């Protein structure tokens, strides 16, 4: 990888403040999805090393919990500043291993860093309560304490920000972490480990393990020393992990799949709705859990919306994310390509009309054309499963009641979007949508200042905002007797 600060490129797991030398020599090769060139080999570790990391995290966490919150805050702020200083290199690492355009990778670094900064501040605001005594001699004091050691599993679609989003609240609250990045994208996590060391975070507090997913998952879930699991990834894996967490009754935060409806009412600002749909659909080649999966357009404006949408999507330039003029990179791997093709062919078999794209891009490899499917219907795979590719199915609807019913007819409940200029409808629909997040007249909703998260099978817990710290804290009360004289 051609970057300036070569120290950011690490190939080994980071355990107890050290880069682990490989014991048995087993390595995994990592490839750039844009051209299948090998970008490096990372050495993976086994159960012994994972347990070593858990032990180190236990020791570090006990000490870290006692560090004054102002000092914790300063350490996290140093990490924040280091991320900004290294923004360009960190962004390139994302693009090399994940494929997204550099512009998006730069944004991802700023986005992840913002969570570190936000929780650096929040570290100083972990307030308790004083509750009036229930007897005349009693006072009740509530304090909040870190949960302890946190196991953390992250996905490949935002390899840096999904980890930073968890590091912020975990470390600010006084927890320690044992983390595993996705197998496709280890380098972004290892770069954050390097910066955590540079920022002066104590050894053992933040560990990054390259390992087989199941070995890691079972070691973390079996360990009674690990008190919490935080996971971002597919609903299928999240369900497995949730079940396995029961044996040690861990606290669990899950940020799982989504199937976002994107509703355009006929009183919407059409240009703005088209721009919002493009941002929500094609960012990261459609590989985000909040991306618009079902675009519902009211029948009166259906054709007009489609025309404008097609014209603008035509302008998206597909290519290697490292090229300055690229708007859309490749898909992550062969499985993603196969799934995207399957969704498109299933849609055409069930009556969908390909209005744009629909096949592998002429660049070949893992590139897929930005695709639009008109006349989509609720029986199609695209209407029910996450595509995780650049495919926009457009559905027509007649009434508000009908579209809300169709939008909510999903096991998922992560993001949703709608466009209208009617104030009463804005409130009504916002309240009716069974989703953890609603974008009203916008296709981009994430911010470190807001509580990101889903309901139903999209997960539990929230990341960001004043609520985000609660996921990493236990509540304790102290009942004080004998206050009477
Ligand atoms: P995707 O299909 O998008 O890769 P996954 O849920 O499979 O989504 O992956 C998200 C993260 O979960 C990755 O880090 C992956 O290695 C990890 N993972 C997958 N299966 C397991 C498992 N059984 N135990 C622990 N982690 C897992």
């Amino acid at each position: 990888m051609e970057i300036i600060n070569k120290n950011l490129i690490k190939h080994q797991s980071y355990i107890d403040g050290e880069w682990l030398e490989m014991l048995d020599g087993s390595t995994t090769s990592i490839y750039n999805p844009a051209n299948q060139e090998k970008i490096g080999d990372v050495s993976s570790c086994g159960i012994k090393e994972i347990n070593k990391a858990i032990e180190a995290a236990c020791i570090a966490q006990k000490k870290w919990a006692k560090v004054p919150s102002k000092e914790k805050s300063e350490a996290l702020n140093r990490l924040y500043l280091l991320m900004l200083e290294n923004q360009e290199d960190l962004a390139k690492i994302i693009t090399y291993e994940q494929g997204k355009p550099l512009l998006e990778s730069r944004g991802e670094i700023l986005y992840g860093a913002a969570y570190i900064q936000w929780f650096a501040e929040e570290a100083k605001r972990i307030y308790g309560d004083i509750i009036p005594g229930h007897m005349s001699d009693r006072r009740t004091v509530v304090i909040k304490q870190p949960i302890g050691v946190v196991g953390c599993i992250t996905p490949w679609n935002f390899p840096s920000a999904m980890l930073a989003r968890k590091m912020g609240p975990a470390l600010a609250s006084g927890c320690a972490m044992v983390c595993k990045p996705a197998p496709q994208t280890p380098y972004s996590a290892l770069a954050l480990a390097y910066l955590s060391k540079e920022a002066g975070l104590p050894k053992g507090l933040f560990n990054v393990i390259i390992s087989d997913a199941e070995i890691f998952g079972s070691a973390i879930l079996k360990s009674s020393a690990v008190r919490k699991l935080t996971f971002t990834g597919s609903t299928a894996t999240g369900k497995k992990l949730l079940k396995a967490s029961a044996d040690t009754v861990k606290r669990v935060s899950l940020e799982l799949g989504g199937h976002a409806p994107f509703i355009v009412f006929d009183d919407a600002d059409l240009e703005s709705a088209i721009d919002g749909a493009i941002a929500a659909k094609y960012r990261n080649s459609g590989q985000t859990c909040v991306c618009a999966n079902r675009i519902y357009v009211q029948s009166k404006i259906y054709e007009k919306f489609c025309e404008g949408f097609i014209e603008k999507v035509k302008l998206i330039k597909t290519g290697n994310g490292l090229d300055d003029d690229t708007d859309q990179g490749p898909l992550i791997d062969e499985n993603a390509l196969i799934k995207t093709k399957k969704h498109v062919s299933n849609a055409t078999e069930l009556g969908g009309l390909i209005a744009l794209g629909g096949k592998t891009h002429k660049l070949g490899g893992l590139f897929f054309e930005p695709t639009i499917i008109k006349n989509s219907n609720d029986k199609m795979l695209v209407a029910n499963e996450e595509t995780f590719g650049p495919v926009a199915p457009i559905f027509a609807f007649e009434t508000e009641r009908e579209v809300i019913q169709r939008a909510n007819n999903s096991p998922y409940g992560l993001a949703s979007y709608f466009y209208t200029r009617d104030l009463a409808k804005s409130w009504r629909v916002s309240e009716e949508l069974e989703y953890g997040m609603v974008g009203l007249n916008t296709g981009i909703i994430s911010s470190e200042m807001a509580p990101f998260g889903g309901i139903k099978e999209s997960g539990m817990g929230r990341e960001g905002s004043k609520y985000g710290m609660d996921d990493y804290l236990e509540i304790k009360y102290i009942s004080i007797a004998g206050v009477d004289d």
Side-chain angles (χ1 to χ4, degrees), residues 235-451:
T235 294
T237 304
K239 284 181 182 177
K240 271 195 225 161
L241 298 173
L242 182 59
K243 280 187 194 149
S245 299
D247 285 343
T248 50
V249 192
K250 287 194 206 315
R251 189 93 83 81
V252 179
S253 294
L254 301 173
E255 207 274 88
L256 308 177
H259 204 276
F262 186 106
I263 305 167
V264 187
F265 287 100
D266 57 17
D267 62 356
D269 174 337
L270 210 56
E271 278 308 300
S272 158
I274 288 168
D275 290 342
I278 290 173
K281 176 73 253 181
Y282 294 102
R283 191 164 61 102
N284 203 5
S285 303
Q287 303 173 113
T288 79
C289 50
V290 293
C291 92
N293 281 276
R294 292 166 282 157
I295 302 179
Y296 296 105
V297 183
Q298 206 153 13
S299 55
K300 207 167 110 191
I301 55 159
Y302 187 87
E303 284 307 327
K304 205 160 166 218
F305 175 90
C306 289
E307 259 169 49
F309 188 58
I310 293 165
E311 278 320 302
K312 283 205 171 156
V313 176
K314 266 186 194 162
L315 303 177
I316 293 177
K317 182 163 184 303
T318 303
N320 187 323
L322 290 171
D323 299 336
D324 273 342
D325 57 347
T326 292
D327 302 310
Q328 179 186 280
L331 293 171
I332 188 71
D333 56 23
E334 197 59 33
N335 285 341
L337 190 66
I338 291 169
K339 186 172 191 195
T340 303
K341 284 184 188 165
K342 182 173 144 197
H343 277 203
V344 172
S345 63
N346 167 273
T348 48
E349 280 159 24
L350 294 177
L353 298 175
I354 305 288
L356 192 72
K359 54 187 191 311
T360 308
H361 194 274
K362 61 178 185 294
L363 290 169
L366 298 172
F367 293 98
F368 199 83
E369 292 175 335
T371 296
I372 298 172
I373 304 174
K374 283 177 69 179
N375 293 4
S376 296
N377 64 58
D378 298 359
K379 292 202 180 72
M380 296 171 174
L381 286 175
V382 283
N384 297 291
E385 285 179 15
E386 275 188 294
T387 306
F388 246 57
V391 178
I394 312 189
F395 306 76
F397 74 93
E398 300 298 330
T399 67
E400 180 183 322
R401 183 189 288 249
E402 171 208 336
V403 79
I404 287 172
Q405 190 273 326
R406 287 169 72 189
N408 286 342
N409 186 20
S410 167
Y412 295 108
L414 193 59
S416 57
Y417 309 86
F418 72 101
Y419 279 70
T420 180
R421 281 186 278 207
D422 180 310
L423 180 62
K425 200 192 289 174
S426 299
W427 276 105
R428 261 195 324 268
V429 177
S430 296
E431 288 170 0
E432 287 293 326
L433 285 170
E434 293 168 359
Y435 289 82
M437 298 173 281
V438 179
L440 169 55
N441 294 326
T442 177
I444 298 282
I445 51 175
S446 291
S447 156
E448 79 283 6
M449 292 186 247

Side-chain angles (χ1 to χ4, degrees), residues 16 55-65 174 176 202-206:
D16 200 13
E55 271 170 42
C58 285
I59 295 168
Q61 193 273 323
K62 294 217 161 46
K63 291 189 199 149
W64 182 244
K203 73 186 186 99
L205 191 68
F206 178 67

Side-chain angles (χ1 to χ4, degrees), residues 17-39:
E18 305 291 336
W19 300 99
L20 192 82
E21 277 316 319
M22 217 27 240
L23 309 170
D24 66 0
S26 85
T27 58
T28 313
S29 299
I30 307 299
Y31 297 92
N32 179 343
N35 51 21
Q36 277 72 53
E37 279 172 17
K38 185 158 107 175
I39 53 177

